[in-house]
Amino acid sequence: MAGVKPTPTGSDLLTRATAGTGMASERTRLRMIARLREQGITDDVVLAAMASIPRHMFVDDGFVSRAYDDVSLPIGFAQTISQPFSVARSCELARGGRSLDLVLEIGGGCGYQAAVLGKLSREVYTIERIGALAAKARQTLSRIGAKNVKVRNADGQEAASNVVLFDAIVVAAGAAAVPQNLLQLLADGGRMVIPLGSMTEQRLTLVTRTGDTFQQQSFDAVVFVPLKSGQE
Ligand code: SAH
């Protein structure tokens, strides 16, 4: 109706209150950090990184009010933004207390975890197989000024390089087994984190490279969307 302003809904008000890096989003974000500590995340560098990234800018408008809850949320194309706990633990395991140079993420989705990894390293390459998601992630990362994160639209399982090796590789989608070619992209002393298991439940798994030896350790039970083949 012309001239009549619609009454803002609760979600509209929250969207406005948490837009940019305002106080409201700062407070909810700090509550998320306190909860992550209670859940056993101890790496202060990871917690500080997560405290600085506006997670609400990576979720669709309808989910802004839940952006800092410990849940995965839809981001379109049947994909999700990972639960904060899974992001925090993956980053903590990938970092292993070191400062990182080059990081590779497989499964960029909305770009949130890549933004967090960007705070922990010099440069992040994230690969997303769904082109529309890759484009959206690029846009959000540019809006928040994450200049050291590069998004590529490709099947990350096919990633290959004989030029660069990565200090850390974070796979953000569940797989039945470790993609062998990705292991070859790990630098000596490098760490890969990947959810391994069935479609419905996986364990966050850390693979550490020492020379040509790869050691595997299992951690928390998690649920990730599956790693798929091909590019869309
Ligand atoms: N890192 C995201 C999580 C995204 S969910 C976050 O910060 O929340 C996992 C993503 O992996 C999905 O977007 C899915 O499209 C993508 N994916 C699945 N298989 C892939 C593959 N082989 N290569 C690249 N991306 C893949």
Side-chain angles (χ1 to χ4, degrees):
M1 230 189 303
V4 179
K5 277 195 186 152
T7 312
T9 63
S11 141
D12 289 334
L13 291 172
L14 214 118
T15 306
R16 281 178 219 165
T18 56
T21 50
M23 289 299 286
S25 79
E26 186 92 36
R27 270 200 305 275
T28 30
R29 200 145 63 232
L30 291 177
R31 273 203 294 277
M32 175 183 81
I33 301 302
R35 201 177 53 227
L36 289 170
R37 270 191 207 283
E38 282 164 20
Q39 290 171 309
I41 304 297
T42 56
D43 188 336
D44 286 331
V45 177
V46 170
L47 292 169
M50 289 182 71
S52 73
I53 302 292
R55 186 173 155 93
H56 61 276
M57 290 176 70
F58 290 84
V59 304
D60 288 347
D61 284 353
F63 295 99
V64 167
S65 64
R66 302 186 62 197
Y68 295 96
D69 292 355
D70 196 31
V71 290
S72 56
L73 295 169
I75 53 172
F77 309 93
Q79 306 304 322
T80 53
I81 180 171
S82 306
Q83 226 185 322
F85 175 79
S86 302
V87 172
R89 181 68 91 209
S90 299
C91 289
E92 182 171 70
L93 290 172
R95 218 175 80 80
R98 308 162 300 158
S99 57
L100 302 170
D101 187 46
L102 276 182
V103 174
L104 176 66
E105 183 194 32
I106 308 296
C110 62
Y112 173 72
Q113 174 153 275
V116 175
L117 288 167
K119 294 280 178 185
L120 310 176
S121 61
R122 184 177 62 80
E123 192 154 43
V124 177
Y125 290 86
T126 184
I127 304 184
E128 170 52 54
R129 64 181 284 277
I130 300 175
L133 272 179
K136 206 167 151 197
R138 233 175 251 130
Q139 201 177 34
T140 313
L141 288 162
S142 144
R143 278 175 65 205
I144 69 158
K147 292 197 176 65
N148 64 340
V149 182
K150 309 277 183 290
V151 183
R152 272 197 54 203
N153 175 218
D155 177 350
Q157 292 176 106
E158 306 290 324
S161 164
N162 44 22
V163 188
V164 291
L165 293 176
F166 296 90
D167 290 335
I169 299 178
V170 177
V171 183
V178 179
Q180 291 301 302
N181 64 315
L182 290 184
L183 289 178
Q184 301 311 320
L185 298 181
L186 266 187
D188 195 5
R191 293 156 77 92
M192 177 192 293
V193 181
I194 178 167
L196 282 187
S198 68
M199 288 278 282
T200 50
E201 198 197 275
Q202 307 104 20
R203 289 238 162 224
L204 265 190
T205 306
L206 172 68
V207 184
T208 311
R209 177 173 200 169
T210 314
D212 284 328
T213 308
F214 296 89
Q215 200 197 4
Q216 200 167 307
Q217 287 168 274
S218 287
F219 291 86
D220 312 73
V222 286
V223 183
F224 278 80
V225 295
L227 193 67
K228 288 189 179 168
S229 295
Q231 181 186 349
E232 289 176 20

